[in-house]
Amino acid sequence: MKIAVFCGSSTGNDPQFLTATQALGKHFAQNGIDIVYGGGNVGLMGAVADAALAEGGRVYGVIPEHLKQKEIAHEELTELRVVADMHERKAAMAAMADAFVALPGGAGTLEEIFEAWTWAQLGHHAKPCAFYNVLNFYEPLLDMVKHMTRCGFLKPEHAEMLVKASTPAALLSGITAYQAPAGKWN
């Protein structure tokens, strides 16, 4: 199984974000899970890759040419693919991945997981979309998802399709147990 990981190009202001990210990379590698990610060697991106590689895991990076220097492309990956732009990056990652996970991060992390979740709602794929909820990082967002559902903008089955976990074992368990609901227009 290959899991696409979306996360910050910084480590955040609490060392537990870094520790939890390293634990996830290690757990994935120890359980034969390959990582697909943005290809950078900085922040949580670099940490998850390094932790998996240190355990003998396979890590596949996809980085746009214009970010190759800014995100300091990780040169020790199983495979590093340099692409033209962000659209090509996301398409390549989506094609490679069997599941998607958002770790703590910023606007780019949210944009990537939201696109994957939207595609799942529309029935473009049946892959799990998950939030690694380190230090309850995603609680405000998950409250917003509940609010969108209460207000009638999100079907309950599409809110419930999100996997949420705060430990590597619970996250992997939720991903492997996932069953996709019918697409939004089915």
Side-chain angles (χ1 to χ4, degrees):
M1 174 183 281
K2 287 183 180 174
I3 297 180
V5 174
F6 307 127
C7 57
S9 59
S10 67
T11 57
N13 59 10
D14 188 316
Q16 290 183 64
F17 292 132
L18 178 60
T19 301
T21 297
Q22 292 167 327
L24 183 64
K26 179 178 179 179
H27 187 78
F28 279 176
Q30 291 173 341
N31 286 277
I33 305 298
D34 295 349
I35 293 174
V36 177
Y37 85 117
N41 195 22
V42 295
L44 297 184
M45 291 190 338
V48 74
D50 288 341
L53 291 168
E55 291 293 317
R58 291 184 300 257
V59 182
Y60 301 87
V62 183
I63 193 164
E65 182 65 44
H66 77 279
L67 291 179
K68 190 175 173 187
Q69 296 305 317
K70 292 178 184 175
E71 291 183 351
I72 310 170
H74 200 306
E75 300 294 341
E76 297 173 20
L77 302 176
T78 306
E79 180 183 317
L80 177 65
R81 185 186 308 180
V82 180
V83 296
D85 55 35
M86 292 297 286
H87 296 291
E88 191 176 342
R89 175 196 233 179
K90 291 186 296 180
M93 289 176 68
M96 294 169 72
D98 300 305
F100 307 92
V101 176
L103 281 65
T109 300
L110 291 179
E111 188 272 334
E112 290 168 323
I113 193 67
F114 281 1
E115 184 170 72
W117 180 31
T118 300
W119 291 347
Q121 288 180 60
L122 296 173
H124 292 310
H125 68 74
K127 302 172 185 180
C129 296
F131 288 92
Y132 187 42
N133 199 16
V134 175
L135 295 176
N136 293 315
F137 181 79
Y138 282 112
E139 284 308 308
L141 175 70
L142 297 171
D143 287 343
M144 183 64 192
V145 169
K146 292 174 191 170
H147 180 67
M148 293 183 324
T149 304
R150 283 191 305 270
C151 291
F153 290 102
L154 182 63
K155 291 182 179 181
E157 62 267 26
H158 295 138
E160 293 165 8
M161 71 192 303
L162 295 173
V163 175
K164 303 163 279 286
S166 58
T167 67
L171 181 67
L172 191 51
S173 177
I175 288 170
T176 56
Y178 177 78
Q179 294 198 358
K184 184 174 183 173
W185 306 116
N186 295 342

PDB file of all heavy atoms in Angstrom, residues 133-170:
ATOM      1  N   ASN A 133      -4.471  13.578  13.633  1.00  0.00           N
ATOM      2  CA  ASN A 133      -4.893  14.666  14.516  1.00  0.00           C
ATOM      3  C   ASN A 133      -3.970  14.830  15.728  1.00  0.00           C
ATOM      4  O   ASN A 133      -4.387  14.748  16.881  1.00  0.00           O
ATOM      5  CB  ASN A 133      -6.337  14.417  14.953  1.00  0.00           C
ATOM      6  CG  ASN A 133      -7.015  15.653  15.477  1.00  0.00           C
ATOM      7  OD1 ASN A 133      -6.557  16.765  15.261  1.00  0.00           O
ATOM      8  ND2 ASN A 133      -8.116  15.453  16.174  1.00  0.00           N
ATOM      9  N   VAL A 134      -2.708  15.109  15.441  1.00  0.00           N
ATOM     10  CA  VAL A 134      -1.677  15.290  16.463  1.00  0.00           C
ATOM     11  C   VAL A 134      -2.017  16.514  17.322  1.00  0.00           C
ATOM     12  O   VAL A 134      -2.300  17.588  16.796  1.00  0.00           O
ATOM     13  CB  VAL A 134      -0.302  15.478  15.800  1.00  0.00           C
ATOM     14  CG1 VAL A 134       0.769  15.787  16.827  1.00  0.00           C
ATOM     15  CG2 VAL A 134       0.050  14.266  14.958  1.00  0.00           C
ATOM     16  N   LEU A 135      -1.983  16.348  18.637  1.00  0.00           N
ATOM     17  CA  LEU A 135      -2.277  17.432  19.584  1.00  0.00           C
ATOM     18  C   LEU A 135      -3.624  18.098  19.286  1.00  0.00           C
ATOM     19  O   LEU A 135      -3.798  19.290  19.498  1.00  0.00           O
ATOM     20  CB  LEU A 135      -1.176  18.500  19.562  1.00  0.00           C
ATOM     21  CG  LEU A 135       0.211  18.082  20.025  1.00  0.00           C
ATOM     22  CD1 LEU A 135       1.194  19.234  19.842  1.00  0.00           C
ATOM     23  CD2 LEU A 135       0.189  17.625  21.471  1.00  0.00           C
ATOM     24  N   ASN A 136      -4.566  17.316  18.763  1.00  0.00           N
ATOM     25  CA  ASN A 136      -5.892  17.832  18.385  1.00  0.00           C
ATOM     26  C   ASN A 136      -5.799  18.977  17.383  1.00  0.00           C
ATOM     27  O   ASN A 136      -6.665  19.848  17.325  1.00  0.00           O
ATOM     28  CB  ASN A 136      -6.702  18.261  19.614  1.00  0.00           C
ATOM     29  CG  ASN A 136      -7.056  17.075  20.472  1.00  0.00           C
ATOM     30  OD1 ASN A 136      -7.489  16.040  19.968  1.00  0.00           O
ATOM     31  ND2 ASN A 136      -6.853  17.196  21.771  1.00  0.00           N
ATOM     32  N   PHE A 137      -4.755  18.966  16.565  1.00  0.00           N
ATOM     33  CA  PHE A 137      -4.511  20.021  15.597  1.00  0.00           C
ATOM     34  C   PHE A 137      -5.717  20.288  14.708  1.00  0.00           C
ATOM     35  O   PHE A 137      -6.031  21.436  14.389  1.00  0.00           O
ATOM     36  CB  PHE A 137      -3.291  19.651  14.729  1.00  0.00           C
ATOM     37  CG  PHE A 137      -2.936  20.684  13.709  1.00  0.00           C
ATOM     38  CD1 PHE A 137      -2.229  21.824  14.064  1.00  0.00           C
ATOM     39  CD2 PHE A 137      -3.305  20.525  12.374  1.00  0.00           C
ATOM     40  CE1 PHE A 137      -1.894  22.784  13.119  1.00  0.00           C
ATOM     41  CE2 PHE A 137      -2.970  21.482  11.421  1.00  0.00           C
ATOM     42  CZ  PHE A 137      -2.260  22.607  11.804  1.00  0.00           C
ATOM     43  N   TYR A 138      -6.409  19.223  14.310  1.00  0.00           N
ATOM     44  CA  TYR A 138      -7.512  19.375  13.361  1.00  0.00           C
ATOM     45  C   TYR A 138      -8.888  19.508  14.011  1.00  0.00           C
ATOM     46  O   TYR A 138      -9.888  19.570  13.309  1.00  0.00           O
ATOM     47  CB  TYR A 138      -7.505  18.225  12.351  1.00  0.00           C
ATOM     48  CG  TYR A 138      -6.451  18.420  11.281  1.00  0.00           C
ATOM     49  CD1 TYR A 138      -5.334  17.596  11.209  1.00  0.00           C
ATOM     50  CD2 TYR A 138      -6.564  19.459  10.364  1.00  0.00           C
ATOM     51  CE1 TYR A 138      -4.365  17.801  10.223  1.00  0.00           C
ATOM     52  CE2 TYR A 138      -5.607  19.668   9.395  1.00  0.00           C
ATOM     53  CZ  TYR A 138      -4.513  18.836   9.321  1.00  0.00           C
ATOM     54  OH  TYR A 138      -3.560  19.048   8.363  1.00  0.00           O
ATOM     55  N   GLU A 139      -8.970  19.593  15.322  1.00  0.00           N
ATOM     56  CA  GLU A 139     -10.285  19.715  15.973  1.00  0.00           C
ATOM     57  C   GLU A 139     -11.105  20.907  15.486  1.00  0.00           C
ATOM     58  O   GLU A 139     -12.300  20.750  15.207  1.00  0.00           O
ATOM     59  CB  GLU A 139     -10.146  19.732  17.498  1.00  0.00           C
ATOM     60  CG  GLU A 139      -9.864  18.365  18.090  1.00  0.00           C
ATOM     61  CD  GLU A 139     -10.841  17.282  17.660  1.00  0.00           C
ATOM     62  OE1 GLU A 139     -12.070  17.479  17.793  1.00  0.00           O
ATOM     63  OE2 GLU A 139     -10.378  16.228  17.181  1.00  0.00           O
ATOM     64  N   PRO A 140     -10.537  22.120  15.354  1.00  0.00           N
ATOM     65  CA  PRO A 140     -11.345  23.230  14.829  1.00  0.00           C
ATOM     66  C   PRO A 140     -11.880  22.951  13.417  1.00  0.00           C
ATOM     67  O   PRO A 140     -13.019  23.284  13.097  1.00  0.00           O
ATOM     68  CB  PRO A 140     -10.395  24.422  14.834  1.00  0.00           C
ATOM     69  CG  PRO A 140      -9.378  24.083  15.882  1.00  0.00           C
ATOM     70  CD  PRO A 140      -9.209  22.585  15.786  1.00  0.00           C
ATOM     71  N   LEU A 141     -11.065  22.332  12.591  1.00  0.00           N
ATOM     72  CA  LEU A 141     -11.501  21.994  11.239  1.00  0.00           C
ATOM     73  C   LEU A 141     -12.602  20.935  11.271  1.00  0.00           C
ATOM     74  O   LEU A 141     -13.603  21.034  10.549  1.00  0.00           O
ATOM     75  CB  LEU A 141     -10.322  21.491  10.411  1.00  0.00           C
ATOM     76  CG  LEU A 141     -10.676  20.988   9.018  1.00  0.00           C
ATOM     77  CD1 LEU A 141     -11.097  22.148   8.134  1.00  0.00           C
ATOM     78  CD2 LEU A 141      -9.503  20.260   8.417  1.00  0.00           C
ATOM     79  N   LEU A 142     -12.439  19.930  12.108  1.00  0.00           N
ATOM     80  CA  LEU A 142     -13.447  18.875  12.209  1.00  0.00           C
ATOM     81  C   LEU A 142     -14.749  19.424  12.774  1.00  0.00           C
ATOM     82  O   LEU A 142     -15.836  18.969  12.396  1.00  0.00           O
ATOM     83  CB  LEU A 142     -12.899  17.706  13.031  1.00  0.00           C
ATOM     84  CG  LEU A 142     -11.676  17.021  12.387  1.00  0.00           C
ATOM     85  CD1 LEU A 142     -11.058  16.014  13.349  1.00  0.00           C
ATOM     86  CD2 LEU A 142     -12.033  16.374  11.057  1.00  0.00           C
ATOM     87  N   ASP A 143     -14.666  20.423  13.649  1.00  0.00           N
ATOM     88  CA  ASP A 143     -15.875  21.114  14.111  1.00  0.00           C
ATOM     89  C   ASP A 143     -16.557  21.829  12.951  1.00  0.00           C
ATOM     90  O   ASP A 143     -17.785  21.844  12.849  1.00  0.00           O
ATOM     91  CB  ASP A 143     -15.548  22.112  15.228  1.00  0.00           C
ATOM     92  CG  ASP A 143     -15.232  21.438  16.553  1.00  0.00           C
ATOM     93  OD1 ASP A 143     -15.578  20.230  16.724  1.00  0.00           O
ATOM     94  OD2 ASP A 143     -14.635  22.105  17.420  1.00  0.00           O
ATOM     95  N   MET A 144     -15.765  22.415  12.057  1.00  0.00           N
ATOM     96  CA  MET A 144     -16.331  23.081  10.884  1.00  0.00           C
ATOM     97  C   MET A 144     -17.016  22.079   9.965  1.00  0.00           C
ATOM     98  O   MET A 144     -18.074  22.372   9.398  1.00  0.00           O
ATOM     99  CB  MET A 144     -15.229  23.844  10.129  1.00  0.00           C
ATOM    100  CG  MET A 144     -15.733  24.632   8.950  1.00  0.00           C
ATOM    101  SD  MET A 144     -16.858  25.943   9.492  1.00  0.00           S
ATOM    102  CE  MET A 144     -17.555  26.434   7.936  1.00  0.00           C
ATOM    103  N   VAL A 145     -16.451  20.903   9.823  1.00  0.00           N
ATOM    104  CA  VAL A 145     -17.077  19.847   9.016  1.00  0.00           C
ATOM    105  C   VAL A 145     -18.446  19.498   9.609  1.00  0.00           C
ATOM    106  O   VAL A 145     -19.438  19.366   8.881  1.00  0.00           O
ATOM    107  CB  VAL A 145     -16.162  18.607   8.917  1.00  0.00           C
ATOM    108  CG1 VAL A 145     -16.894  17.418   8.312  1.00  0.00           C
ATOM    109  CG2 VAL A 145     -14.909  18.940   8.110  1.00  0.00           C
ATOM    110  N   LYS A 146     -18.521  19.384  10.926  1.00  0.00           N
ATOM    111  CA  LYS A 146     -19.811  19.123  11.587  1.00  0.00           C
ATOM    112  C   LYS A 146     -20.786  20.265  11.328  1.00  0.00           C
ATOM    113  O   LYS A 146     -21.977  20.037  11.077  1.00  0.00           O
ATOM    114  CB  LYS A 146     -19.609  18.934  13.093  1.00  0.00           C
ATOM    115  CG  LYS A 146     -18.866  17.671  13.459  1.00  0.00           C
ATOM    116  CD  LYS A 146     -18.577  17.633  14.963  1.00  0.00           C
ATOM    117  CE  LYS A 146     -17.608  16.516  15.289  1.00  0.00           C
ATOM    118  NZ  LYS A 146     -17.128  16.590  16.664  1.00  0.00           N
ATOM    119  N   HIS A 147     -20.299  21.497  11.385  1.00  0.00           N
ATOM    120  CA  HIS A 147     -21.133  22.668  11.144  1.00  0.00           C
ATOM    121  C   HIS A 147     -21.660  22.669   9.697  1.00  0.00           C
ATOM    122  O   HIS A 147     -22.844  22.955   9.459  1.00  0.00           O
ATOM    123  CB  HIS A 147     -20.339  23.944  11.437  1.00  0.00           C
ATOM    124  CG  HIS A 147     -21.098  25.210  11.234  1.00  0.00           C
ATOM    125  ND1 HIS A 147     -22.167  25.584  12.021  1.00  0.00           N
ATOM    126  CD2 HIS A 147     -20.950  26.192  10.300  1.00  0.00           C
ATOM    127  CE1 HIS A 147     -22.640  26.741  11.595  1.00  0.00           C
ATOM    128  NE2 HIS A 147     -21.912  27.128  10.551  1.00  0.00           N
ATOM    129  N   MET A 148     -20.822  22.353   8.731  1.00  0.00           N
ATOM    130  CA  MET A 148     -21.257  22.286   7.333  1.00  0.00           C
ATOM    131  C   MET A 148     -22.342  21.234   7.158  1.00  0.00           C
ATOM    132  O   MET A 148     -23.301  21.436   6.409  1.00  0.00           O
ATOM    133  CB  MET A 148     -20.064  21.982   6.411  1.00  0.00           C
ATOM    134  CG  MET A 148     -19.055  23.110   6.348  1.00  0.00           C
ATOM    135  SD  MET A 148     -17.628  22.898   5.223  1.00  0.00           S
ATOM    136  CE  MET A 148     -17.230  21.189   5.299  1.00  0.00           C
ATOM    137  N   THR A 149     -22.222  20.128   7.894  1.00  0.00           N
ATOM    138  CA  THR A 149     -23.224  19.076   7.828  1.00  0.00           C
ATOM    139  C   THR A 149     -24.537  19.555   8.447  1.00  0.00           C
ATOM    140  O   THR A 149     -25.615  19.386   7.853  1.00  0.00           O
ATOM    141  CB  THR A 149     -22.713  17.806   8.535  1.00  0.00           C
ATOM    142  OG1 THR A 149     -21.468  17.427   7.942  1.00  0.00           O
ATOM    143  CG2 THR A 149     -23.706  16.669   8.414  1.00  0.00           C
ATOM    144  N   ARG A 150     -24.459  20.155   9.633  1.00  0.00           N
ATOM    145  CA  ARG A 150     -25.675  20.676  10.293  1.00  0.00           C
ATOM    146  C   ARG A 150     -26.398  21.701   9.424  1.00  0.00           C
ATOM    147  O   ARG A 150     -27.624  21.768   9.418  1.00  0.00           O
ATOM    148  CB  ARG A 150     -25.326  21.317  11.639  1.00  0.00           C
ATOM    149  CG  ARG A 150     -25.053  20.340  12.754  1.00  0.00           C
ATOM    150  CD  ARG A 150     -24.978  21.031  14.119  1.00  0.00           C
ATOM    151  NE  ARG A 150     -24.005  22.115  14.157  1.00  0.00           N
ATOM    152  CZ  ARG A 150     -22.727  21.989  14.494  1.00  0.00           C
ATOM    153  NH1 ARG A 150     -22.243  20.813  14.835  1.00  0.00           N
ATOM    154  NH2 ARG A 150     -21.918  23.037  14.505  1.00  0.00           N
ATOM    155  N   CYS A 151     -25.634  22.488   8.674  1.00  0.00           N
ATOM    156  CA  CYS A 151     -26.214  23.542   7.834  1.00  0.00           C
ATOM    157  C   CYS A 151     -26.684  23.027   6.473  1.00  0.00           C
ATOM    158  O   CYS A 151     -27.221  23.795   5.671  1.00  0.00           O
ATOM    159  CB  CYS A 151     -25.215  24.677   7.642  1.00  0.00           C
ATOM    160  SG  CYS A 151     -24.926  25.622   9.160  1.00  0.00           S
ATOM    161  N   GLY A 152     -26.506  21.748   6.201  1.00  0.00           N
ATOM    162  CA  GLY A 152     -27.019  21.158   4.970  1.00  0.00           C
ATOM    163  C   GLY A 152     -26.126  21.295   3.755  1.00  0.00           C
ATOM    164  O   GLY A 152     -26.577  21.054   2.628  1.00  0.00           O
ATOM    165  N   PHE A 153     -24.862  21.645   3.937  1.00  0.00           N
ATOM    166  CA  PHE A 153     -23.950  21.775   2.809  1.00  0.00           C
ATOM    167  C   PHE A 153     -23.086  20.537   2.595  1.00  0.00           C
ATOM    168  O   PHE A 153     -22.358  20.460   1.605  1.00  0.00           O
ATOM    169  CB  PHE A 153     -23.055  23.007   2.987  1.00  0.00           C
ATOM    170  CG  PHE A 153     -23.800  24.291   2.848  1.00  0.00           C
ATOM    171  CD1 PHE A 153     -24.152  25.018   3.976  1.00  0.00           C
ATOM    172  CD2 PHE A 153     -24.182  24.765   1.606  1.00  0.00           C
ATOM    173  CE1 PHE A 153     -24.857  26.199   3.862  1.00  0.00           C
ATOM    174  CE2 PHE A 153     -24.887  25.946   1.478  1.00  0.00           C
ATOM    175  CZ  PHE A 153     -25.239  26.667   2.612  1.00  0.00           C
ATOM    176  N   LEU A 154     -23.145  19.603   3.507  1.00  0.00           N
ATOM    177  CA  LEU A 154     -22.339  18.392   3.437  1.00  0.00           C
ATOM    178  C   LEU A 154     -23.196  17.235   3.930  1.00  0.00           C
ATOM    179  O   LEU A 154     -23.773  17.311   5.023  1.00  0.00           O
ATOM    180  CB  LEU A 154     -21.085  18.552   4.318  1.00  0.00           C
ATOM    181  CG  LEU A 154     -20.079  17.423   4.347  1.00  0.00           C
ATOM    182  CD1 LEU A 154     -19.449  17.204   2.964  1.00  0.00           C
ATOM    183  CD2 LEU A 154     -18.980  17.724   5.361  1.00  0.00           C
ATOM    184  N   LYS A 155     -23.301  16.198   3.132  1.00  0.00           N
ATOM    185  CA  LYS A 155     -24.073  15.021   3.532  1.00  0.00           C
ATOM    186  C   LYS A 155     -23.359  14.320   4.688  1.00  0.00           C
ATOM    187  O   LYS A 155     -22.125  14.240   4.703  1.00  0.00           O
ATOM    188  CB  LYS A 155     -24.224  14.058   2.361  1.00  0.00           C
ATOM    189  CG  LYS A 155     -25.114  14.576   1.257  1.00  0.00           C
ATOM    190  CD  LYS A 155     -25.243  13.539   0.161  1.00  0.00           C
ATOM    191  CE  LYS A 155     -26.166  14.044  -0.936  1.00  0.00           C
ATOM    192  NZ  LYS A 155     -26.316  13.040  -2.002  1.00  0.00           N
ATOM    193  N   PRO A 156     -24.127  13.809   5.642  1.00  0.00           N
ATOM    194  CA  PRO A 156     -23.493  13.111   6.774  1.00  0.00           C
ATOM    195  C   PRO A 156     -22.535  11.999   6.348  1.00  0.00           C
ATOM    196  O   PRO A 156     -21.462  11.851   6.934  1.00  0.00           O
ATOM    197  CB  PRO A 156     -24.684  12.553   7.557  1.00  0.00           C
ATOM    198  CG  PRO A 156     -25.809  13.477   7.223  1.00  0.00           C
ATOM    199  CD  PRO A 156     -25.583  13.891   5.794  1.00  0.00           C
ATOM    200  N   GLU A 157     -22.902  11.245   5.321  1.00  0.00           N
ATOM    201  CA  GLU A 157     -22.019  10.151   4.894  1.00  0.00           C
ATOM    202  C   GLU A 157     -20.693  10.665   4.329  1.00  0.00           C
ATOM    203  O   GLU A 157     -19.681   9.970   4.371  1.00  0.00           O
ATOM    204  CB  GLU A 157     -22.713   9.220   3.890  1.00  0.00           C
ATOM    205  CG  GLU A 157     -23.140   9.873   2.596  1.00  0.00           C
ATOM    206  CD  GLU A 157     -24.581  10.396   2.606  1.00  0.00           C
ATOM    207  OE1 GLU A 157     -25.119  10.708   3.698  1.00  0.00           O
ATOM    208  OE2 GLU A 157     -25.162  10.494   1.520  1.00  0.00           O
ATOM    209  N   HIS A 158     -20.687  11.893   3.820  1.00  0.00           N
ATOM    210  CA  HIS A 158     -19.432  12.452   3.313  1.00  0.00           C
ATOM    211  C   HIS A 158     -18.596  13.064   4.435  1.00  0.00           C
ATOM    212  O   HIS A 158     -17.367  13.111   4.336  1.00  0.00           O
ATOM    213  CB  HIS A 158     -19.704  13.453   2.193  1.00  0.00           C
ATOM    214  CG  HIS A 158     -20.307  12.793   0.994  1.00  0.00           C
ATOM    215  ND1 HIS A 158     -21.334  13.327   0.284  1.00  0.00           N
ATOM    216  CD2 HIS A 158     -20.032  11.597   0.418  1.00  0.00           C
ATOM    217  CE1 HIS A 158     -21.676  12.506  -0.690  1.00  0.00           C
ATOM    218  NE2 HIS A 158     -20.896  11.453  -0.623  1.00  0.00           N
ATOM    219  N   ALA A 159     -19.234  13.506   5.486  1.00  0.00           N
ATOM    220  CA  ALA A 159     -18.489  13.946   6.671  1.00  0.00           C
ATOM    221  C   ALA A 159     -17.890  12.741   7.379  1.00  0.00           C
ATOM    222  O   ALA A 159     -16.746  12.776   7.845  1.00  0.00           O
ATOM    223  CB  ALA A 159     -19.409  14.717   7.613  1.00  0.00           C
ATOM    224  N   GLU A 160     -18.663  11.673   7.445  1.00  0.00           N
ATOM    225  CA  GLU A 160     -18.228  10.468   8.158  1.00  0.00           C
ATOM    226  C   GLU A 160     -17.172   9.680   7.400  1.00  0.00           C
ATOM    227  O   GLU A 160     -16.530   8.805   7.974  1.00  0.00           O
ATOM    228  CB  GLU A 160     -19.444   9.577   8.444  1.00  0.00           C
ATOM    229  CG  GLU A 160     -20.407  10.224   9.428  1.00  0.00           C
ATOM    230  CD  GLU A 160     -21.777   9.565   9.463  1.00  0.00           C
ATOM    231  OE1 GLU A 160     -21.957   8.497   8.826  1.00  0.00           O
ATOM    232  OE2 GLU A 160     -22.674  10.127  10.120  1.00  0.00           O
ATOM    233  N   MET A 161     -16.973   9.987   6.132  1.00  0.00           N
ATOM    234  CA  MET A 161     -15.991   9.231   5.364  1.00  0.00           C
ATOM    235  C   MET A 161     -14.547   9.583   5.759  1.00  0.00           C
ATOM    236  O   MET A 161     -13.625   8.843   5.440  1.00  0.00           O
ATOM    237  CB  MET A 161     -16.204   9.425   3.857  1.00  0.00           C
ATOM    238  CG  MET A 161     -15.833  10.784   3.326  1.00  0.00           C
ATOM    239  SD  MET A 161     -16.399  11.113   1.619  1.00  0.00           S
ATOM    240  CE  MET A 161     -15.677   9.806   0.693  1.00  0.00           C
ATOM    241  N   LEU A 162     -14.359  10.680   6.462  1.00  0.00           N
ATOM    242  CA  LEU A 162     -13.017  11.080   6.887  1.00  0.00           C
ATOM    243  C   LEU A 162     -12.527  10.194   8.026  1.00  0.00           C
ATOM    244  O   LEU A 162     -13.222  10.003   9.022  1.00  0.00           O
ATOM    245  CB  LEU A 162     -13.008  12.536   7.344  1.00  0.00           C
ATOM    246  CG  LEU A 162     -13.315  13.573   6.273  1.00  0.00           C
ATOM    247  CD1 LEU A 162     -13.445  14.953   6.901  1.00  0.00           C
ATOM    248  CD2 LEU A 162     -12.245  13.554   5.185  1.00  0.00           C
ATOM    249  N   VAL A 163     -11.341   9.685   7.880  1.00  0.00           N
ATOM    250  CA  VAL A 163     -10.684   8.919   8.935  1.00  0.00           C
ATOM    251  C   VAL A 163      -9.956   9.923   9.819  1.00  0.00           C
ATOM    252  O   VAL A 163      -9.252  10.791   9.318  1.00  0.00           O
ATOM    253  CB  VAL A 163      -9.696   7.895   8.344  1.00  0.00           C
ATOM    254  CG1 VAL A 163      -8.923   7.181   9.442  1.00  0.00           C
ATOM    255  CG2 VAL A 163     -10.422   6.910   7.435  1.00  0.00           C
ATOM    256  N   LYS A 164     -10.141   9.797  11.145  1.00  0.00           N
ATOM    257  CA  LYS A 164      -9.500  10.707  12.092  1.00  0.00           C
ATOM    258  C   LYS A 164      -8.815   9.873  13.164  1.00  0.00           C
ATOM    259  O   LYS A 164      -9.440   8.988  13.746  1.00  0.00           O
ATOM    260  CB  LYS A 164     -10.536  11.634  12.722  1.00  0.00           C
ATOM    261  CG  LYS A 164     -11.324  12.455  11.697  1.00  0.00           C
ATOM    262  CD  LYS A 164     -12.592  13.043  12.256  1.00  0.00           C
ATOM    263  CE  LYS A 164     -13.766  12.155  12.338  1.00  0.00           C
ATOM    264  NZ  LYS A 164     -14.516  11.774  11.189  1.00  0.00           N
ATOM    265  N   ALA A 165      -7.537  10.149  13.413  1.00  0.00           N
ATOM    266  CA  ALA A 165      -6.810   9.385  14.421  1.00  0.00           C
ATOM    267  C   ALA A 165      -5.632  10.204  14.938  1.00  0.00           C
ATOM    268  O   ALA A 165      -5.104  11.060  14.230  1.00  0.00           O
ATOM    269  CB  ALA A 165      -6.307   8.073  13.829  1.00  0.00           C
ATOM    270  N   SER A 166      -5.227   9.918  16.166  1.00  0.00           N
ATOM    271  CA  SER A 166      -4.114  10.647  16.766  1.00  0.00           C
ATOM    272  C   SER A 166      -2.909   9.759  17.073  1.00  0.00           C
ATOM    273  O   SER A 166      -1.932  10.230  17.636  1.00  0.00           O
ATOM    274  CB  SER A 166      -4.576  11.364  18.033  1.00  0.00           C
ATOM    275  OG  SER A 166      -5.100  10.443  18.949  1.00  0.00           O
ATOM    276  N   THR A 167      -2.981   8.486  16.695  1.00  0.00           N
ATOM    277  CA  THR A 167      -1.828   7.596  16.846  1.00  0.00           C
ATOM    278  C   THR A 167      -1.588   6.883  15.515  1.00  0.00           C
ATOM    279  O   THR A 167      -2.529   6.676  14.738  1.00  0.00           O
ATOM    280  CB  THR A 167      -2.041   6.531  17.940  1.00  0.00           C
ATOM    281  OG1 THR A 167      -3.078   5.636  17.525  1.00  0.00           O
ATOM    282  CG2 THR A 167      -2.384   7.178  19.284  1.00  0.00           C
ATOM    283  N   PRO A 168      -0.347   6.496  15.244  1.00  0.00           N
ATOM    284  CA  PRO A 168      -0.069   5.788  13.995  1.00  0.00           C
ATOM    285  C   PRO A 168      -0.886   4.508  13.838  1.00  0.00           C
ATOM    286  O   PRO A 168      -1.410   4.239  12.754  1.00  0.00           O
ATOM    287  CB  PRO A 168       1.425   5.494  14.087  1.00  0.00           C
ATOM    288  CG  PRO A 168       1.973   6.585  14.937  1.00  0.00           C
ATOM    289  CD  PRO A 168       0.891   6.818  15.978  1.00  0.00           C
ATOM    290  N   ALA A 169      -1.012   3.725  14.899  1.00  0.00           N
ATOM    291  CA  ALA A 169      -1.751   2.466  14.799  1.00  0.00           C
ATOM    292  C   ALA A 169      -3.230   2.706  14.495  1.00  0.00           C
ATOM    293  O   ALA A 169      -3.814   2.020  13.645  1.00  0.00           O
ATOM    294  CB  ALA A 169      -1.598   1.662  16.091  1.00  0.00           C
ATOM    295  N   ALA A 170      -3.842   3.672  15.167  1.00  0.00           N
ATOM    296  CA  ALA A 170      -5.248   3.980  14.921  1.00  0.00           C
ATOM    297  C   ALA A 170      -5.453   4.518  13.510  1.00  0.00           C
ATOM    298  O   ALA A 170      -6.456   4.205  12.850  1.00  0.00           O
ATOM    299  CB  ALA A 170      -5.767   4.966  15.959  1.00  0.00           C
TER     300      ALA A 170
END
